[in-house]
Amino acid sequence: MRALARPVHSLGAAGLILGAGLLHASYLAPERYAFLAWSGSVWWGVFALAQLTIAYALGLPDLAESRAGAALRGFGATVAAFLVISAFQAVLATPLLPRSSSMILGLVLPLWSVLAWNLSVDADARAVIRDRVYLVVDRFEDARSVELDVADHPEAPAAVVGTMTLDQLRTAGTGPHLVDAVAEAGATILVLDTAAQAAPVIVEQAAELHRRGVRIRTLSLFYEEWIGKLPHPELARVSLLFDIGEIHRVRYVRVKRAVDLTFATVGLVALVPVLLIVSVLNPVFNPGPLFYHQPRVGRDGRVFEIYKLRTMRPDDDAPVGRTTWTGTDDPRITPLGGLLRRSHLDELPQVLNIARGDLSLIGPRPEQPGYVSELAEKIAFYDVRHIVRPGLTGWAQVKQGYAADHADAFEKLQYDFYYLRRQGFGLDAKILRRTVRRVIGGGGR
């Protein structure tokens, strides 16, 4: 049901907008007209597209914390969509949408946002009740990590209702201890880590629970389905032997590259006015060069130069090989640089890298050679992320954000593994949607 909340919200909002147009054409206009035959009806489509895009970016219907918040976001999305239409009106010097229908939409669209929010909240509550997880792990520390991930980064809402270690099971003997514990907790999913899967007494009891209707998952599969990453402790070389879209599916490769080139073309057009504005502001608020370029490691370990708008003081730009992670409140960032970073406009010159083929729109984020050397020594399988072309945005970015230290890089790698395993049109579209929401609205889902 939760998955239905977003399309229900979008389809309902689009229906209300269409209804407002039909209402005006049939009843409110001084002279009746055929709505679909009217050349101006295209502007209702523009308004609908703007409203739905902005509403999603603002977190509707599922990220609002209350009914009032949902109504406020719905009203904000509607006002922003009208501002988009107003901009077109100013350019064309002619009214595009009737005021009477616009006022009606200003009232009904926020109310519809509240109704869709209720559907999302109800679905979340039912999902948590349905997905009750019982863990069997080697150590309690492993269970704690799972609990934190389920609470902070879920793809499917769940609740951990019980944990048992291998030592506890061995102490209990070969009786039906696990079967009784799972039944008592009311768990609907039993998750076994690698060590638990190797214990015959656990496998036997898991089989009995399976017959009783409890779903069984390995820890790796649970992370994939409920968290959206591959846990590093569960990985082995054999688990990386799967088809990768960018390598094994020719149609995917061609379409992905076509999308990249289309995005790069649009991005280059958008880059021109941004450069004009930043070049005027730079001498006062960000003295120094306009661009900043830095070596990054791309596909197959090839090093390339990535382009950005400079956001730090020139004397503090890290030289090649220096491994100083950039924090959110890094003192080296200038005031204008902070604005560029928060708006993500500093990344816009990377459309040049996309056009050249260094980057893709979607993929693992490329790192500096110095970081890569350090991380490859400390984290097993780190070099596997270089199998595919890196991206302007990626699954790790929308799930976690940018890495600030080695621990963050370790966490991001697990999301990169997930992307490699699931790479395809569907996941790329999900990443793109969440990137838009993160950039405009600050939310990640």
Side-chain angles (χ1 to χ4, degrees), residues 64 145 155 173 310:
S145 297
E155 286 298 301
R310 186 179 51 82

Side-chain angles (χ1 to χ4, degrees), residues 79-221:
V79 170
F82 279 124
L83 291 176
V84 171
I85 295 297
S86 298
F88 282 108
Q89 288 182 165
V91 173
L92 299 175
T94 182
L96 299 177
L97 294 182
R99 291 185 180 180
S100 55
S101 297
S102 299
M103 293 177 63
I104 293 172
L105 287 176
L107 295 174
V108 299
L109 286 176
L111 294 177
W112 179 251
S113 297
V114 173
L115 293 175
W117 177 82
N118 284 333
L119 175 63
S120 178
V121 169
D122 292 344
D124 275 350
R126 287 192 295 271
V128 170
I129 294 172
R130 184 180 69 249
D131 296 338
R132 298 172 59 85
V133 182
Y134 200 97
L135 302 171
V136 180
V137 294
D138 193 19
R139 303 176 306 163
F140 271 118
E141 292 84 351
D142 300 331
R144 181 56 180 162
S145 297
V146 176
E147 290 175 359
L148 291 175
D149 282 329
V150 166
D152 295 339
H153 305 288
E155 286 298 301
V160 177
V161 297
T163 301
M164 188 175 294
T165 65
L166 297 184
D167 286 340
Q168 287 178 315
L169 276 169
R170 294 188 186 103
T171 301
T174 59
H177 184 63
L178 177 60
V179 174
D180 295 340
V182 170
E184 184 178 345
T188 57
I189 302 171
L190 175 65
V191 177
L192 309 176
D193 70 1
T194 302
Q197 296 166 47
V201 63
I202 297 176
V203 174
E204 291 173 4
Q205 295 189 62
E208 173 59 28
L209 288 166
H210 191 259
R211 285 191 291 270
R212 297 187 182 189
V214 176
R215 289 179 287 172
I216 312 297
R217 293 291 189 276
T218 65
L219 184 58
S220 179
L221 283 176

